Amino acid sequence: MNMEQAFEMALKNIAKHGDTDIFPFPFETHVFHDALNKCKQFLVELHNNFDDFLSSYPPTTIVTLTQIGYTGFRWATQIDPFWNAYYLSLIISLAEQIESRRVPECEMSVFSYRYGWDEANAKLFKDITWKDFRTHSIKLSQSSEFVITTDIADFYSRINHHRVENALNRLPNAGDLPSRIMKLLTVFSKNVSYGLPIGGPASRIIAELALVLVDENLTRRRIKFTRYADDYCIFCDTKSNAYELLVLLSEKLFNEGLILQKNKTRIVTSKEFRESSGLLDPKTTTSGNGNVSEEQKLLNISIRFDPYSPTAEEDYEQLKSAVNEVDIIGILGREVAKTTIDVTVSKQAINAIKALEPITREGAVKTILKPENLEVLAPVFVTIMRTIKGVYEELDAEGKNFVDNSLINIFEKYSHLLSVELNLSYFIYALSVKNTQRKEEILVEIYDQKSSSLIRRQIILIMANWKCFYWLSDIKQKYSGLSEWEKRAFIISSYILGDEGRHWRDNTKRTWTPMDSLVRDWFADRFQKNRTIPL
């Protein structure tokens, strides 16, 4: 595969699916969609002058905590969108070679992120999911007495760069691409010799390469196992054999600089394993009368919906029909009544709200936004905020008013839910749909208090969309002190200021990066057709 093909694939993938599954989409995804050829030409120029670009316009990153459960957190990284597109392009150009080094798919042991480009949907991975991994694991457990369940501790953040470089250099036709990838990883990790940015497809492909030797060690010994990313299941006939295999896996991972998560490592009977996996096995997850539970019905529905599909209208009607046959409000009521929610069930129920009939949808929205319920649903706060933004315009006036007051109440009385930066980011995202004076005051207060480029950049774009001239004019005076992320947001926001913005751009464009100039050119054309700022 030549690099121009890889550039186009990377841009199409990001334009359709975003740069990560963690952060809100940056507005640059619109640039990739609207000006794909210009962006591809830019990546060609970057590739041909890689070292110059790396020294003159090095990648900037946003690193923040994301919530896992009630008290767990992990670091996530958002890379400058243009550098992220280049990083993904390098990996895509090697992806077929990397896939050929992995345990073959037909072995039904390694399920995660199997590469297979789908041009029609701009997808990088085949439709093999975590649920497929768990379903096959349940099947294998039926012919074993014991199952080891475990996962790798801090997987992405512990991956050793030297081991990755060795694995990349073993690929038969890699050329100088491993060197370029390693230079980028060094910048992304701030000169630390381990760790991958979490959340994007490029790092997922590298992470799978990092486990090839461990997978081969298990496969060549004919050990019966399944793996999805950092999750392992190993199937054994005796408990003593299970201990031996657990030691073996620990040794092979240690050779790669990785260790197992102690508090998630268990040896259980196959029966216990199947019982704990009940929600993925309709035969074992039933209501009292022997019927499949509402939770299982919900999990059996694919909530994913592609509005650009040729059959989008029919697909959506089928989704609505399936979702409305499930008691979503009942499921949510049972979840919030618990001390600890089932995150998988809760996420699926909240995502399903978008497909509910209007009356039921409004009831579900009120359920998840009740203050006492928000506390219980804290681990899925991001999912709640995404859904609220997605359904807001479909609510009636009373529903919109309820949402607006609930969001303001979260800020004023439950601000601890916003102490995680990513939660705050999605809260701002939900807040942005409609301008009110109180919301404006909240955004000004957050901007003045927070130093995060992620948060401040979002607020710049929202205030521009709300045409807050007084605020934008003031920020213009502070442009030189803004982060690179904020500066690029202000460049497009300056169009809202009319002649004042035009004079400002004429006086400052000499200080812009090539990426800034590309964004300005794209937005100048877009603004003539659609005078809104993309969020």
Side-chain angles (χ1 to χ4, degrees):
M1 179 189 300
N2 65 48
M3 286 307 303
E4 286 201 36
Q5 287 177 299
F7 295 147
E8 184 164 329
M9 290 163 67
L11 291 167
K12 285 181 176 178
N13 175 260
I14 296 169
K16 184 154 189 178
H17 304 287
D19 57 344
T20 79
D21 61 355
I22 296 175
F23 292 86
F25 286 7
F27 72 79
E28 286 87 348
T29 57
H30 295 282
V31 187
F32 298 164
H33 179 273
D34 297 344
L36 187 140
N37 286 331
K38 287 183 178 179
C39 291
K40 186 166 72 172
Q41 291 168 10
F42 168 78
L43 292 179
V44 169
E45 183 183 354
L46 190 161
H47 188 67
N48 292 336
N49 301 279
F50 175 71
D51 288 327
D52 289 342
F53 267 79
L54 195 60
S55 60
S56 300
Y57 317 107
T60 55
T61 59
I62 293 173
V63 182
T64 189
L65 285 175
T66 178
Q67 188 166 351
I68 308 296
Y70 287 95
T71 57
F73 304 92
R74 71 176 182 186
W75 291 104
T77 304
Q78 186 165 47
I79 304 164
D80 176 284
F82 289 96
W83 277 105
N84 181 64
Y86 183 67
Y87 171 49
L88 179 56
S89 301
L90 295 177
I91 302 302
I92 287 175
S93 69
L94 298 175
E96 288 181 353
Q97 294 184 58
I98 292 172
E99 182 63 30
S100 70
R101 288 283 291 113
R102 300 177 66 190
V103 173
E105 193 179 325
C106 61
E107 295 279 344
M108 298 288 286
S109 56
V110 178
F111 289 80
S112 43
Y113 308 117
R114 305 303 314 214
Y115 176 75
W117 175 250
D118 177 353
E119 177 66 30
N121 297 297
K123 288 171 58 178
L124 291 170
F125 303 120
K126 296 180 181 179
D127 289 326
I128 303 171
T129 66
W130 184 85
K131 185 176 178 180
D132 296 321
F133 152 70
R134 293 296 287 177
T135 302
H136 190 66
S137 298
I138 290 170
K139 180 180 177 181
L140 290 179
S141 73
Q142 293 169 351
S143 58
S144 302
E145 293 297 321
F146 294 91
V147 182
I148 301 169
T149 62
T150 188
D151 68 18
I152 301 169
D154 303 321
F155 179 38
Y156 279 76
S157 60
R158 287 178 179 266
I159 291 177
N160 184 285
H161 289 182
H162 180 64
R163 305 292 291 181
V164 168
E165 186 173 17
N166 288 342
L168 288 169
N169 283 325
R170 292 189 195 104
L171 300 176
N173 301 298
D176 72 338
L177 299 186
S179 171
R180 293 173 182 244
I181 292 169
M182 298 317 300
K183 286 179 180 179
L184 289 179
L185 290 180
T186 298
V187 175
F188 298 157
S189 65
K190 303 188 186 307
N191 295 312
V192 176
S193 61
Y194 51 85
L196 300 179
I198 295 173
S203 292
R204 287 173 175 156
I205 294 172
I206 295 180
E208 292 299 321
L209 178 63
L211 288 178
V212 162
L213 297 185
V214 178
D215 291 340
E216 286 180 337
N217 266 298
L218 299 179
T219 302
R220 296 299 182 269
R221 289 172 170 80
R222 297 189 178 182
I223 295 167
K224 191 161 57 169
F225 78 99
T226 55
R227 179 176 69 77
Y228 194 95
D230 56 354
D231 286 330
Y232 277 95
C233 293
I234 301 179
F235 307 90
C236 325
D237 292 328
T238 67
K239 201 163 190 177
S240 60
N241 181 231
Y243 278 111
E244 291 171 357
L245 294 182
L246 188 56
V247 171
L248 175 70
L249 176 61
S250 298
E251 288 176 348
K252 303 313 173 189
L253 287 170
F254 185 77
N255 290 341
E256 304 301 321
L258 302 169
I259 60 173
L260 292 175
Q261 189 95 263
K262 292 179 182 178
N263 61 349
K264 290 189 178 180
T265 300
R266 300 174 63 214
I267 298 174
V268 298
T269 66
S270 56
K271 181 181 177 182
E272 289 174 319
F273 175 74
R274 288 191 293 275
E275 288 173 350
S276 68
S277 304
L279 280 177
L280 292 170
D281 185 0
K283 295 177 183 176
T284 61
T285 306
T286 58
S287 57
N289 60 10
N291 295 323
V292 175
S293 69
E294 291 293 301
E295 284 79 0
Q296 182 59 49
K297 289 179 186 177
L298 175 64
L299 290 178
N300 284 339
I301 299 171
S302 175
I303 304 295
R304 295 174 186 164
F305 170 67
D306 182 2
Y308 301 105
S309 165
T311 59
E313 190 172 334
E314 297 93 321
D315 293 346
Y316 187 60
E317 289 304 316
Q318 288 178 4
L319 174 60
K320 283 175 61 179
S321 176
V323 166
N324 281 281
E325 288 180 4
V326 179
D327 182 10
I328 300 296
I329 293 180
I331 291 172
L332 289 170
R334 287 190 289 277
E335 286 300 312
V336 298
K338 298 176 179 178
T339 304
T340 304
I341 63 168
D342 182 314
V343 171
T344 302
V345 170
S346 297
K347 277 187 177 180
Q348 187 83 333
I350 293 165
N351 284 326
I353 289 173
K354 295 188 281 286
L356 291 174
E357 293 298 329
I359 294 177
T360 312
R361 183 192 302 134
E362 193 155 323
V365 166
K366 289 181 177 179
T367 297
I368 61 176
L369 285 180
K370 282 183 180 178
E372 62 271 25
N373 292 348
L374 278 171
E375 296 276 3
V376 181
L377 293 169
V380 292
F381 185 84
V382 164
T383 306
I384 291 173
M385 291 299 108
R386 281 174 168 168
T387 297
I388 293 303
K389 184 177 187 299
V391 303
Y392 185 90
E393 293 297 349
E394 298 172 10
L395 299 173
D396 60 21
E398 181 188 349
K400 289 177 181 176
N401 189 52
F402 174 83
V403 168
D404 289 339
N405 289 334
S406 296
L407 292 175
I408 292 168
N409 190 52
I410 290 171
F411 180 79
E412 292 177 344
K413 298 181 180 178
Y414 296 90
S415 59
H416 61 279
L417 293 170
L418 307 180
S419 58
V420 178
E421 192 171 283
L422 205 62
N423 285 0
L424 177 60
S425 174
Y426 278 98
F427 169 79
I428 291 170
Y429 186 58
L431 207 65
S432 70
V433 184
K434 178 185 174 184
N435 182 14
T436 68
Q437 180 176 327
R438 181 61 187 127
K439 287 183 180 180
E440 211 171 291
E441 291 168 355
I442 288 171
L443 290 188
V444 171
E445 183 177 339
I446 293 172
Y447 189 91
D448 289 345
Q449 290 179 351
K450 299 293 182 180
S451 60
S452 162
S453 295
L454 172 66
I455 301 302
R456 290 162 66 97
R457 167 177 154 114
Q458 277 184 290
I459 293 173
I460 289 171
L461 296 172
I462 293 168
M463 297 294 265
N465 228 7
W466 288 353
K467 296 181 172 54
C468 298
F469 304 111
Y470 71 94
W471 190 85
L472 292 171
S473 186
D474 182 56
I475 292 297
K476 175 173 65 69
Q477 307 303 321
K478 305 170 184 176
Y479 175 81
S480 62
L482 302 182
S483 69
E484 293 301 318
W485 294 82
E486 294 169 79
K487 285 179 177 178
R488 193 178 299 162
F490 188 80
I491 288 170
I492 66 173
S493 298
S494 69
Y495 279 81
I496 298 299
L497 293 173
D499 285 345
E500 180 186 352
R502 179 172 57 80
H503 289 307
W504 174 84
R505 291 191 298 278
D506 288 342
N507 290 330
T508 58
K509 62 185 178 183
R510 65 184 181 279
T511 67
W512 296 350
T513 69
M515 297 82 126
D516 295 339
S517 298
L518 179 54
V519 164
R520 186 277 314 272
D521 293 344
W522 157 78
F523 191 72
D525 180 60
R526 178 188 171 103
F527 193 66
Q528 297 302 316
K529 304 170 187 173
N530 179 2
R531 304 179 77 83
T532 60
I533 305 292
L535 299 177

